[in-house]
Amino acid sequence: MSSPNQLNEVNGLVDRANCLVKPPGGALACMVNSEIGAVLAVMRRNVRWGVQYASDDEQIEHSLIMSFKELRKNIFSWQNHWHTIDPVLYLQPFLDIIKSDETGAPITGVALSSVYKILNLQILDSETVNVDNALHLIVDAVTSCRFEVTDPASEEVVLMKILQVLLACMKNKASISLNNHHVCSIVNTCFRIVHQASSKSELLQRISRHTMHELVRCIFSHLPDLDDKSHELAHGSKSSPNAEDNVAEPSHTLQDKQDVDAYTSAESDSKKDDSTHVKDSTSTADSSMMDPYGVPCMVEIFHFLCSLLNVMENIEVGPRSNPIAYHEDVPLFALGLINSAIELGGASFGNHPKLLALIQDELFYNLMQFGLSMSPLILSTVCSIVLNLYHHLRTKLKLQLEAFISTVLLRIAESKHGASYQQQEVAMEALIDFCRQPMFVTELYANYDCDISCSNVFEGLANLLSRSAFPVNSPLSAMNTLALDGLIVLLHGMAERVGHDSSGPGEASLELQEFKPFWTLRCHDYDEPLHWVPFVHNMKNLKRMLMTGVDHFNRDPKKGLEFLQGLHLLPDKLDPRSVACIFRYTMGLDKNLIGDFLGGHDEFSVLVLHEFARTFDFQDMNLDTALRIFLETFRLPGESQKIQRVVEAFAESYFEQSSDILVNKDAALLLSYSLILLNTDQHNSQVKKKMSEEDFIRNNRNINGGNDLPRDFLSELYHSISENEIRMVPDQGGASGILTRSHWLGLTHKAKQTSPYIVSDSGSHLDYDMFAILSGPAIAAISVVFDHAEQDYVLQSCIDGYLAIAKLSASYNFGEVLDDLVVSLCKFTTLLHPSFNERSILYFGDDIKAKMATIAVFTIANRYSDHIRSGWRNILDCILSLQKIGLLPARLASDATDELEPPSSDNDQVKTSASHSPPSQVPPATPARKSSGIMSRFSLLLSYDSEEPAPQPSEEQLAARQRTLQAIQNCHIDTIFAESKFLQADSLLQLVRALVMAAGRPLKGNNNSLEDEETAVFCLELLIAITLNNRDRIMLLWQNVYEYIANVVQSTVMPSSLVEKAVFGLLRICQRLLPYKENLTDELLKSLQLVLKLDARVADAYCEQITQEVMHLVKGNAMQIRSHMGWRTIISLLSITARHPEASEAGFETLSYIMSDGAHLSPANYVLCANAARQFAESRVGNVERSVRSLDLMSGSVICLVTWFYQTKEAAGEEAAIKMSEDILEMWMRLVQALRKVCTDHREEVRNHAITLLQRCLTGVDGIRIPTDLWLQCFDLVIFTLLDELPEMSNQLSPKDYRFIEGSMILSIKLMSKVFLQSLRDLSLSNSFCQLWLKVLGCMERYMNMRFRGRRSEKIHELVPELLKNTLLVMKTSGILVPSDPVGGDSFWELTWLHVQKIAPSVQLEVFPGEELEKLQENRAKSGCSPLSEGNVLVPPNETTA
């Protein structure tokens, strides 16, 4: 026997069958002839087949040999028309040998080889004549093969060749001609050989099992090609749903011999053998078995394969039991065959109701049982089958999949019910395989977590994976990493779906407005996401509320129902139907409490009970099955009266729906009671004498309306109860871990009423809700694993998980989750550890975990910065740690930072030269960026605690440093701040607040180290850079930025880098933002008032630089500054510089820029600029020339006043024009007053220039109509005041300075005369003209009599009479000064000459010669009038001088 060759032949069968080509006729004849010769040669070796002698001594050949010889005569005559020859003609002799019980194993083996050769060479095909009959004959012959066993080896050869031939029949192209009966016979025969091979060689065992697998694959691969309607098994063989009816009739197609039989070893096990054989034609007369093979045979075969698993049916399964350890080989073999069938049949199983029913009920029940076994190998196979079923048939297996995942996989993975570590691993791997299916998680959540009648499977899975990832007081185990992989798979799946038609959060209104029977709600279209997504969101919200009500009910049923009413889950007025449906369809209710409520004696409870019973569908259901399903939903109360009420309600409902055998509900009631008593009798250990079948039948006589029930009916009920207990204490959600038949029946019944299975597309419809459940536990689990992990691949998995969570958090706006994630990651960077310092550079580069965490933190900060809130604090803490040891890029905050350097190179030189001075006197230079000195810091690091010169770093240390720098470079920290202008408003605000908080820490204490100040400066740089980058959203940030800078400015009393950065940063912010934010101009300029609040020492130190910045600001933004408040701030800063030696030049340049040619003068800044110019004119810091230039600026500004006055005519409205005119006159008055103050300057050149310009301003305003009152005010406040101050000033001067003041007095008296004469016309009309004139005369008199050091001024003595004469002549010419008579007092004429006499008596005759005077007096007397008004004529008698 050539066993290896046989095995090779089996394994190579498929390849050869596919590649061989049908030979020509002549070659076929030769082949058949050679096979005839081979058979005859073996037969002749046995003397039995040589010659037989008849009674008459004639030699007679055996009929078997004769048939071969006859065939040999004919084959060569067929070679030209071989295709027309019936194959039965050349196959029959071989088949006769196979069926003969006279042939031995060698002869039978050769005949089988010949048939195999003919089949394998594809001589037979679908076009061959009578091929169907030929194949039928081959199958019949081989399945009824008979031979004598002479030795075990030859027996095994024949068995292997039988397997070869049967498999070749199924793989032949003509196999479609086989009928269902023959296919079942083939499978039956092969399985018998498999069964018998257990006592044979290993080779036969393997070949037989392999052949069985090939047969199943070959048969079920045909299923997808079948037409559902034409091959439906509507008229096929029937299979009973009960386990005891699943046993097929024994098959006798493979018979035993009377001699030595190949199967005698199995006689002792014939009962079990018979129970596992496929039904064939001897046990059914169904005509469908004679049809070409299709669904009927597949149903029989699949049912047969499922029946192989029934070994678990009557074996108690418990936490510690191992029921199949004694022989796990059989179920493994059966499970493998089932898996092969499902793999090839695929979704086509769902098109055939009987096949689907087998999967839904019997197969899945057995899979559940074997899943709870103690064998990891069986569990693994079961999981593979269920995964295939999920892939192909999940829409048909909704509740079955839920039960398997929750009852088997989740519980084993949680190590419940004594599961071994190996089982946990298998279950966990299976769960992860499920999670890897594209939409498994989404469908899990939609179909179970969002279904009120199902458990929260996804939530349980998420919790399991999270808990299992936690290492418990030990290093990471394989289970921990498996669970981590599962979490990562879930997160990655959601992350990949981000943006794929996401429907967003499903948070509908959590309060129902009115009651609706939610258990009747159905989606309009379960295939369209636009319909089912809102539906499941709504159902999930209902379920959440319902679960809250369940908790209340389980504590107090009455209050629980009231609570559900408050949620509008029950009507305001309770009705029995609604309460019954709550009990029936709500998960999690305490079944003991339901039983007590249903058994209540009050009317409402009874009504609820009957409504509850009517919610069940008992159509076409056996009584025991219906009773099992009914009692599975609650615990039957212990009181007899309650039991009676419950059973009565059940019996009534059952009779209404299934009245085929029972004639009335009393019969149903009595029989139900009898079944409950039988159940107690059979399964209560305290009952010693068990009821027999006859006792049960006898006890139920005459209960069916006075008649007996059918004996078979009662017998079936008896065996069902005896073999499968009705559990009176139903499992609370499967907590016991034992799957009972009653529970399974309840599940299959529930499956008929459950909502359709929702198949999700690739959209992220429910990911928001799922992520809300998963995110918190996932972060905690990944963080713990990351903390304990050592292997790089585990660390990388954790990082991948972190990034996936970050992506999901950002996509679904889970800001708090993202912040928690950042906090967790920052802890692993080691950057926040108090001991992190320069020494840490050496270790950070080699710390894989720290580097990965650091890169991850900043990757998240760059990618998802829009959604970070409080996490910015932790990120900034990491950045500050890197900054302290000099590991940050040189330019962190983009190009905005460059502008924050000191404003001028000259200033840098000054500060450098003064760097050795005490800090209290000179501000310290801004510290250089640390990143530029990394190597020097490194050398310093190595020199710590050593008095010797610092050694050079080693190559290892340099390499570690390089790795660290590379890691930090990969973080792209600078991008965070450079791209801050794209941040969402909330995130940006939180970033700024975090920076303010980080920068503000040094300000809280008094003993601030240099390092703390450097940190504050660094934060301030970033803060200012962010502010500049976000100029379009400045108001969002401004309050925080301004408050911090104000805090720095007002709390600093000595020059420092921090206050320097704050002040110049503020100035630069204004410079950059003023051109773009006109509406914020006042707010920005107002902030510059902080500079005015600087401590004197600080202000003095930075005055020049501040002024330079103000100059740049004004030159760049003068057009944008329009408000008085803004200009007041600017001019105040410039005014301060007037007396500062270094800053005054820049200050005056800025003021000149504003005032020159009136370029930027406006009513808003005119008075401010005039006063500032006065201060520069009065300042002695600069030279006289600058004072003169300042005065020129003041004088030149009058042109602006004239221009504005002309513009008042164009003003809209009279009131507006009047207001503008008044403002302009007020400005003019302020200008001349400012000039008057400079007119008393001690420097002659300045003083005289001021007087000259004052005269120009008073006389050069022709374009401005100055009212008389203002002129009077001007004389009082400006001219007369000046004339009064100059003499006083002269008394304070030394004799040598007298000559200088004399010139000024001359100029001022001329000024008075000219102004008076110019405004004489207007003044003469005033009621106060007389008083003004007397004051003018008084001033002249006083100056005429003035003496300096006892000496009279000759120049003034000469000038005053001349000025007086000119004035009088003008007044005479104008008709103002004419003779008049006094009426009640001195007249204007008399008063004038009275004062003139005191000044220069000769002037009167020069002005009015005698003749002219007399003539005037006569004329005036005749007219009797005076040129002046009454008020100007008279003055009080005692007031003769001004």
Side-chain angles (χ1 to χ4, degrees):
M1 181 177 67
S2 177
S3 296
N5 291 336
Q6 299 291 343
L7 181 60
N8 291 335
E9 287 180 10
V10 173
N11 291 333
L13 178 62
V14 177
D15 295 336
R16 289 199 299 271
N18 291 334
C19 66
L20 291 180
V21 180
K22 185 175 180 178
L28 286 175
C30 293
M31 291 179 186
V32 174
N33 183 62
S34 66
E35 296 304 319
I36 294 172
V39 174
L40 290 176
V42 175
M43 294 180 71
R44 286 169 178 155
R45 284 166 49 182
N46 190 326
V47 295
R48 288 182 56 187
W49 301 100
V51 177
Q52 289 189 356
Y53 294 89
S55 59
D56 57 356
D57 295 337
E58 292 183 0
Q59 294 182 351
I60 303 174
E61 286 186 316
H62 197 280
S63 59
L64 295 177
I65 295 178
M66 291 180 64
S67 63
F68 278 111
K69 291 184 176 181
E70 289 295 326
L71 177 60
R72 178 173 276 179
K73 294 177 184 178
N74 297 326
I75 55 175
F76 289 103
S77 64
W78 298 339
Q79 58 184 345
N80 295 326
H81 51 280
W82 190 270
H83 61 281
T84 63
I85 303 301
D86 187 348
V88 176
L89 296 177
Y90 54 83
L91 285 173
Q92 192 62 54
F94 298 98
L95 300 180
D96 292 340
I97 292 290
I98 294 171
K99 291 190 294 184
S100 174
D101 55 0
E102 299 177 6
T103 55
I107 299 173
T108 304
V110 174
L112 286 168
S113 295
S114 299
V115 174
Y116 171 71
K117 182 176 181 181
I118 293 172
L119 291 171
N120 198 32
L121 293 176
Q122 298 297 317
I123 296 174
L124 303 181
D125 57 26
S126 58
E127 298 178 357
T128 304
V129 177
N130 200 24
V131 67
D132 52 346
N133 188 39
L135 283 177
H136 294 169
L137 291 174
I138 293 174
V139 172
D140 289 339
V142 175
T143 55
S144 59
C145 174
R146 303 163 183 267
F147 62 94
E148 292 181 353
V149 178
T150 56
D151 61 272
S154 60
E155 175 193 3
E156 292 187 10
V157 170
V158 173
L159 293 177
M160 286 189 286
K161 291 188 176 183
I162 290 173
L163 295 172
Q164 285 182 333
V165 173
L166 292 178
L167 182 58
C169 286
M170 287 305 304
K171 293 201 171 186
N172 191 275
K173 294 179 179 179
S175 63
I176 56 175
S177 302
L178 292 173
N179 59 34
N180 291 300
H181 158 68
H182 284 113
V183 173
C184 290
S185 296
I186 290 172
V187 174
N188 190 14
T189 301
C190 288
F191 182 75
R192 284 178 175 272
I193 296 176
V194 170
H195 185 72
Q196 297 302 322
S198 59
S199 61
K200 307 297 181 181
S201 68
E202 179 74 14
L203 179 61
L204 180 61
Q205 293 179 34
R206 292 182 178 273
I207 288 180
S208 61
R209 290 178 178 241
H210 176 80
T211 304
M212 193 71 181
H213 276 280
E214 288 294 314
L215 278 175
V216 171
R217 292 191 186 102
C218 182
I219 294 168
F220 283 91
S221 65
H222 186 49
L223 182 60
D225 302 328
L226 295 177
D227 181 11
D228 183 24
K229 295 182 180 179
S230 62
H231 293 279
E232 188 63 51
L233 195 56
H235 305 289
S237 60
K238 296 181 179 180
S239 299
S240 170
N242 295 328
E244 58 271 19
D245 292 332
N246 288 336
V247 181
E249 292 292 330
S251 175
H252 302 285
T253 55
L254 195 59
Q255 299 176 357
D256 297 341
K257 284 202 166 186
Q258 293 180 356
D259 299 327
V260 182
D261 188 86
Y263 309 106
T264 53
S265 62
E267 287 297 326
S268 61
D269 198 25
S270 61
K271 182 178 179 181
K272 185 170 77 172
D273 186 43
D274 288 344
S275 69
T276 56
H277 290 165
V278 185
K279 295 181 182 179
D280 65 12
S281 59
T282 63
S283 61
T284 179
D286 199 319
S287 61
S288 65
M289 297 303 290
M290 295 299 122
D291 294 336
Y293 90 91
V295 174
C297 74
M298 294 181 192
V299 171
E300 292 298 332
I301 294 169
F302 201 77
H303 179 253
F304 157 67
L305 296 178
C306 292
S307 68
L308 292 177
L309 301 176
N310 286 339
V311 67
M312 297 291 293
E313 185 72 22
N314 298 316
I315 298 177
E316 186 68 24
V317 180
R320 298 296 179 184
S321 63
N322 190 7
I324 61 170
Y326 70 96
H327 198 230
E328 70 176 13
D329 189 51
V330 173
L332 275 177
F333 175 59
L335 290 170
L337 294 176
I338 291 171
N339 195 34
S340 296
I342 294 172
E343 286 175 343
L344 292 168
S348 300
F349 276 94
N351 298 329
H352 306 284
K354 289 214 168 184
L355 283 172
L356 181 61
L358 284 172
I359 293 175
Q360 289 174 326
D361 189 0
E362 186 174 358
L363 174 61
F364 239 105
Y365 175 69
N366 287 315
L367 291 178
M368 296 280 290
Q369 294 283 50
F370 278 98
L372 295 171
S373 72
M374 300 298 291
S375 168
L377 185 57
I378 289 181
L379 176 60
S380 177
T381 309
V382 167
C383 293
S384 299
I385 294 174
V386 176
L387 183 60
N388 278 323
L389 290 173
Y390 165 80
H391 182 72
H392 296 297
L393 298 170
R394 59 183 181 276
T395 58
K396 314 288 186 181
L397 302 170
K398 178 177 177 179
L399 296 190
Q400 288 87 344
L401 288 169
E402 177 200 11
F404 183 80
I405 293 172
S406 59
T407 306
V408 177
L409 294 184
L410 291 181
R411 294 187 179 280
I412 291 178
E414 287 176 350
S415 186
K416 290 188 176 180
H417 314 304
S420 65
Y421 185 82
Q422 290 76 15
Q423 286 178 287
Q424 293 179 55
E425 278 194 319
V426 172
M428 187 67 72
E429 289 170 350
L431 286 170
I432 296 173
D433 287 339
F434 274 103
C435 294
R436 289 193 175 102
Q437 306 309 305
M439 299 308 297
F440 169 77
V441 178
T442 302
E443 293 175 3
L444 200 69
Y445 183 77
N447 288 289
Y448 306 124
D449 291 58
C450 297
D451 191 327
I452 60 172
S453 61
C454 298
S455 57
N456 292 333
V457 184
F458 170 77
E459 194 169 334
L461 173 63
N463 292 333
L464 166 72
L465 294 175
S466 301
R467 289 197 305 269
S468 300
F470 276 80
V472 182
N473 299 325
S474 62
L476 286 179
S477 64
M479 182 63 68
N480 300 139
T481 54
L482 264 179
L484 175 67
D485 289 341
L487 282 175
I488 303 304
V489 167
L490 292 183
L491 294 168
H492 272 206
M494 294 182 193
E496 290 172 359
R497 291 192 295 271
V498 165
H500 293 181
D501 301 324
S502 174
S503 60
E507 294 299 328
S509 174
L510 295 182
E511 293 186 4
L512 300 178
Q513 300 302 319
E514 60 181 6
F515 165 73
K516 291 182 181 179
F518 57 84
W519 53 88
T520 63
L521 295 177
R522 290 292 183 270
C523 180
H524 297 300
D525 187 354
Y526 285 93
D527 297 325
E528 176 53 55
L530 292 177
H531 291 94
W532 68 256
V533 172
F535 174 75
V536 298
H537 280 155
N538 184 49
M539 294 306 293
K540 182 60 178 177
N541 292 327
L542 281 174
K543 189 174 183 180
R544 289 192 184 103
M545 293 188 290
L546 197 58
M547 290 302 102
T548 308
V550 166
D551 292 337
H552 284 76
F553 180 89
N554 290 342
R555 290 194 294 268
D556 187 331
K558 183 178 179 181
K559 292 182 179 179
L561 295 178
E562 293 175 354
F563 182 80
L564 290 172
Q565 285 180 289
L567 295 177
H568 299 292
L569 294 173
L570 282 175
D572 295 336
K573 183 179 180 181
L574 286 180
D575 65 271
R577 178 69 179 174
S578 300
V579 177
C581 290
I582 285 282
F583 291 165
R584 179 76 169 87
Y585 300 113
T586 303
M587 292 285 293
L589 291 175
D590 190 325
K591 294 185 177 182
N592 294 318
L593 296 177
I594 297 176
D596 290 338
F597 192 100
L598 295 176
H601 65 278
D602 60 282
E603 181 181 359
F604 185 75
S605 296
V606 173
L607 292 174
V608 172
L609 171 61
H610 284 271
E611 290 291 344
F612 182 80
R614 292 190 188 99
T615 62
F616 292 87
D617 180 12
F618 296 140
Q619 291 279 350
D620 302 322
M621 193 177 292
N622 288 344
L623 181 64
D624 67 311
T625 302
L627 190 60
R628 292 176 192 275
I629 292 172
F630 184 69
L631 295 179
E632 186 65 30
T633 56
F634 64 95
R635 178 176 182 176
L636 191 65
E639 300 178 21
S640 59
Q641 292 181 344
K642 291 185 177 182
I643 293 175
Q644 180 181 355
R645 284 189 287 270
V646 171
V647 178
E648 283 178 355
F650 165 76
E652 180 180 342
S653 178
Y654 181 80
F655 177 73
E656 290 173 356
Q657 301 180 56
S658 296
S659 56
D660 296 340
I661 297 177
L662 303 175
V663 297
N664 53 39
K665 65 179 182 181
D666 291 336
L669 173 62
L670 292 173
L671 189 55
S672 300
Y673 255 119
S674 182
L675 290 179
I676 292 174
L677 293 175
L678 174 64
N679 187 73
T680 304
D681 175 86
Q682 295 292 310
H683 300 287
N684 192 327
S685 59
Q686 296 179 357
V687 178
K688 303 301 180 183
K689 185 179 180 181
K690 304 295 183 182
M691 186 186 305
S692 66
E693 181 179 344
E694 290 298 326
D695 294 336
F696 177 73
I697 296 173
R698 185 171 57 254
N699 292 341
N700 290 285
R701 287 177 180 172
N702 304 324
I703 67 171
N704 195 23
N707 297 319
D708 289 344
L709 289 165
R711 183 181 181 86
D712 292 342
F713 175 71
L714 293 175
S715 177
E716 182 181 345
L717 291 177
Y718 176 83
H719 287 289
S720 174
I721 299 298
S722 298
E723 295 172 8
N724 291 289
E725 177 187 3
I726 299 176
R727 295 182 64 86
M728 297 301 178
V729 184
D731 185 13
Q732 294 279 3
S736 66
I738 301 174
L739 181 68
T740 64
R741 190 68 189 176
S742 297
H743 182 69
W744 185 254
L745 289 173
L747 185 144
T748 53
H749 175 73
K750 179 182 174 183
K752 298 175 183 177
Q753 301 174 331
T754 190
S755 59
Y757 187 96
I758 296 172
V759 178
S760 177
D761 56 17
S762 59
S764 56
H765 307 294
L766 303 175
D767 286 353
Y768 178 94
D769 304 291
M770 293 190 292
F771 183 65
I773 296 172
L774 182 63
S775 57
I779 291 177
I782 295 175
S783 297
V784 173
V785 174
F786 193 73
D787 189 25
H788 287 76
E790 299 293 340
Q791 299 89 346
D792 290 352
Y793 75 92
V794 178
L795 294 174
Q796 187 58 52
S797 295
C798 293
I799 294 297
D800 293 341
Y802 278 129
L803 294 178
I805 293 174
K807 180 178 180 179
L808 290 165
S809 301
S811 301
Y812 298 129
N813 293 316
F814 281 86
E816 293 183 0
V817 174
L818 189 59
D819 290 333
D820 292 342
L821 176 63
V822 170
V823 171
S824 298
L825 263 176
C826 287
K827 294 177 182 177
F828 298 115
T829 62
T830 69
L831 300 177
L832 305 183
H833 198 277
S835 61
F836 190 83
N837 51 33
E838 286 87 349
R839 297 176 183 271
S840 306
I841 298 176
L842 300 177
Y843 311 109
F844 185 82
D846 295 323
D847 191 338
I848 303 287
K849 185 182 297 185
K851 284 198 298 184
M852 293 176 75
T854 303
I855 294 175
V857 165
F858 291 109
T859 299
I860 291 171
N862 275 296
R863 290 182 186 174
Y864 312 114
S865 52
D866 274 345
H867 306 275
I868 300 175
R869 300 293 183 266
S870 61
W872 283 121
R873 298 180 185 178
N874 302 80
I875 294 173
L876 283 175
D877 286 341
C878 294
I879 293 175
L880 292 178
S881 295
L882 295 172
Q883 182 264 344
K884 288 178 182 177
I885 60 172
L887 289 179
L888 286 185
R891 301 179 184 274
L892 187 60
S894 76
D895 59 351
T897 312
D898 300 339
E899 301 184 6
L900 303 178
E901 297 302 323
S904 66
S905 58
D906 296 338
N907 181 48
D908 290 340
Q909 296 174 3
V910 172
K911 285 164 48 172
T912 302
S913 63
S915 59
H916 299 289
S917 303
S920 59
Q921 299 176 7
V922 179
T926 303
R929 295 304 298 262
K930 293 188 176 183
S931 56
S932 62
I934 291 180
M935 291 308 299
S936 61
R937 279 181 172 272
F938 186 66
S939 300
L940 178 63
L941 165 66
L942 299 179
S943 66
Y944 279 162
D945 302 327
S946 174
E947 297 179 357
E948 300 178 0
Q952 292 297 319
S954 65
E955 293 184 3
E956 292 79 6
Q957 292 169 335
L958 290 173
R961 163 169 295 281
Q962 189 60 39
R963 289 191 295 270
T964 301
L965 292 175
Q966 185 61 45
I968 301 305
Q969 184 178 356
N970 293 338
C971 293
H972 303 291
I973 300 175
D974 53 334
T975 310
I976 298 173
F977 303 98
E979 301 297 326
S980 64
K981 57 188 172 184
F982 301 114
L983 280 179
Q984 290 184 2
D986 290 344
S987 179
L988 178 63
L989 186 58
Q990 293 296 331
L991 173 58
V992 168
R993 288 175 177 172
L995 274 169
V996 169
M997 182 176 294
R1001 290 171 194 161
L1003 300 175
K1004 295 179 182 178
N1006 296 324
N1007 300 323
N1008 298 324
S1009 65
L1010 177 61
E1011 189 176 79
D1012 289 337
E1013 184 177 358
E1014 291 175 352
T1015 298
V1017 170
F1018 176 76
C1019 291
L1020 185 55
E1021 286 181 356
L1022 295 179
L1023 191 63
I1024 295 170
I1026 290 174
T1027 305
L1028 294 176
N1029 285 336
N1030 289 273
R1031 64 191 184 197
D1032 294 331
R1033 299 183 288 179
I1034 182 63
M1035 287 311 298
L1036 179 68
L1037 317 176
W1038 182 245
Q1039 189 64 30
N1040 293 283
V1041 176
Y1042 175 77
E1043 287 179 358
Y1044 176 70
I1045 293 178
N1047 188 22
V1048 172
V1049 169
Q1050 296 173 4
S1051 63
T1052 305
V1053 296
M1054 296 298 294
S1056 66
S1057 299
L1058 181 59
V1059 71
E1060 178 186 11
K1061 191 65 66 176
V1063 170
F1064 293 118
L1066 179 62
L1067 287 166
R1068 285 304 168 86
I1069 289 174
C1070 293
Q1071 287 181 27
R1072 289 281 296 273
L1073 299 185
L1074 280 177
Y1076 305 100
K1077 293 294 176 182
E1078 293 185 10
N1079 58 326
L1080 300 180
T1081 300
D1082 291 346
E1083 187 72 24
L1084 292 171
L1085 294 175
K1086 182 180 178 181
S1087 66
L1088 293 180
Q1089 294 179 3
L1090 290 176
V1091 181
L1092 301 174
K1093 299 177 182 180
L1094 282 170
D1095 183 90
R1097 289 166 290 189
V1098 178
D1100 184 67
Y1102 300 119
C1103 189
E1104 182 180 1
Q1105 301 98 301
I1106 292 172
T1107 309
Q1108 292 284 349
E1109 294 300 320
V1110 173
M1111 179 174 66
H1112 296 320
L1113 186 149
V1114 171
K1115 288 185 176 180
N1117 306 283
M1119 297 298 296
Q1120 282 74 36
I1121 307 173
R1122 296 187 176 91
S1123 69
H1124 175 74
M1125 187 279 298
W1127 279 114
R1128 184 175 62 188
T1129 304
I1130 295 294
I1131 302 303
S1132 297
L1133 291 171
L1134 297 177
S1135 299
I1136 294 174
T1137 66
R1139 289 174 175 79
H1140 194 281
E1142 291 83 12
S1144 60
E1145 187 62 36
F1148 180 72
E1149 182 181 347
T1150 307
L1151 185 63
S1152 299
Y1153 176 79
I1154 298 171
M1155 298 185 67
S1156 294
D1157 301 326
H1160 299 290
L1161 282 175
S1162 67
N1165 66 2
Y1166 186 87
V1167 174
L1168 298 170
C1169 290
N1171 288 329
R1174 176 186 61 78
Q1175 294 183 40
F1176 276 100
E1178 293 175 341
S1179 173
R1180 298 196 179 189
V1181 171
N1183 50 30
V1184 172
E1185 181 184 355
R1186 190 168 71 192
S1187 297
V1188 171
R1189 288 169 55 199
S1190 299
L1191 293 172
D1192 291 337
L1193 291 176
M1194 296 172 69
S1195 174
S1197 66
V1198 174
I1199 301 173
C1200 293
L1201 296 178
V1202 175
T1203 303
W1204 297 338
F1205 196 84
Y1206 279 120
Q1207 292 173 354
T1208 59
K1209 301 176 183 178
E1210 302 173 3
E1214 184 179 352
E1215 293 184 3
I1218 294 174
K1219 178 68 169 63
M1220 289 180 63
S1221 299
E1222 291 176 352
D1223 292 341
I1224 293 171
L1225 293 173
E1226 175 67 19
M1227 287 183 264
W1228 175 76
M1229 188 64 189
R1230 294 288 189 90
L1231 173 66
V1232 295
Q1233 284 181 314
L1235 281 171
R1236 191 268 305 166
K1237 293 181 180 179
V1238 187
C1239 290
T1240 58
D1241 193 278
H1242 287 259
R1243 295 168 295 175
E1244 179 189 16
E1245 186 178 351
V1246 175
R1247 182 174 63 245
N1248 292 344
H1249 193 65
I1251 296 172
T1252 303
L1253 295 180
L1254 176 61
Q1255 177 179 316
R1256 186 181 302 170
C1257 290
L1258 291 172
T1259 58
V1261 287
D1262 295 337
I1264 303 177
R1265 184 182 178 282
I1266 299 177
T1268 304
D1269 294 342
L1270 188 60
W1271 274 120
L1272 294 173
Q1273 186 180 359
C1274 182
F1275 270 93
D1276 286 338
L1277 299 180
V1278 178
I1279 299 175
F1280 294 150
T1281 303
L1282 174 61
L1283 292 172
D1284 291 341
E1285 289 177 346
L1286 285 175
E1288 295 177 1
M1289 181 180 172
S1290 65
N1291 295 329
Q1292 301 172 4
L1293 296 176
S1294 60
K1296 64 179 181 179
D1297 294 328
Y1298 165 73
R1299 59 187 180 87
F1300 301 124
I1301 197 66
E1302 181 183 22
S1304 301
M1305 296 174 72
I1306 292 172
L1307 291 175
S1308 61
I1309 199 68
K1310 288 181 179 180
L1311 178 149
M1312 180 187 68
S1313 177
K1314 289 183 179 180
V1315 173
F1316 181 79
L1317 290 176
Q1318 181 169 323
S1319 58
L1320 179 61
R1321 183 177 300 276
D1322 294 331
L1323 290 173
S1324 64
L1325 300 177
S1326 172
N1327 294 335
S1328 301
F1329 176 71
C1330 183
Q1331 296 179 12
L1332 175 64
W1333 170 239
L1334 294 178
K1335 288 182 181 180
V1336 172
L1337 292 175
C1339 287
M1340 290 184 175
E1341 180 181 352
R1342 187 169 63 255
Y1343 269 67
M1344 189 68 179
N1345 299 324
M1346 185 179 296
R1347 294 180 178 275
F1348 296 95
R1349 303 292 179 180
R1351 296 175 58 188
R1352 185 176 63 182
S1353 172
E1354 296 297 333
K1355 294 181 179 180
I1356 294 177
H1357 200 267
E1358 295 174 359
L1359 176 63
V1360 171
E1362 187 64 28
L1363 293 176
L1364 178 59
K1365 176 182 176 181
N1366 292 339
T1367 304
L1368 292 172
L1369 287 173
V1370 173
M1371 292 175 69
K1372 169 187 172 183
T1373 305
S1374 303
I1376 296 173
L1377 184 61
V1378 294
S1380 62
D1381 296 326
V1383 182
D1386 297 332
S1387 66
F1388 179 80
W1389 172 269
E1390 293 177 347
L1391 291 174
T1392 299
W1393 295 117
L1394 177 63
H1395 283 276
V1396 171
Q1397 290 295 328
K1398 296 178 182 180
I1399 299 171
S1402 61
V1403 170
Q1404 184 176 10
L1405 291 178
E1406 295 177 7
V1407 176
F1408 288 99
E1411 297 176 358
E1412 184 180 354
L1413 180 60
E1414 291 176 0
K1415 188 176 181 179
L1416 283 174
Q1417 288 175 345
E1418 290 176 0
N1419 292 336
R1420 296 302 295 174
K1422 291 178 182 181
S1423 63
C1425 60
S1426 173
L1428 298 178
S1429 63
E1430 184 178 352
N1432 282 327
V1433 174
L1434 300 177
V1435 293
N1438 59 347
E1439 189 175 325
T1440 59
T1441 60

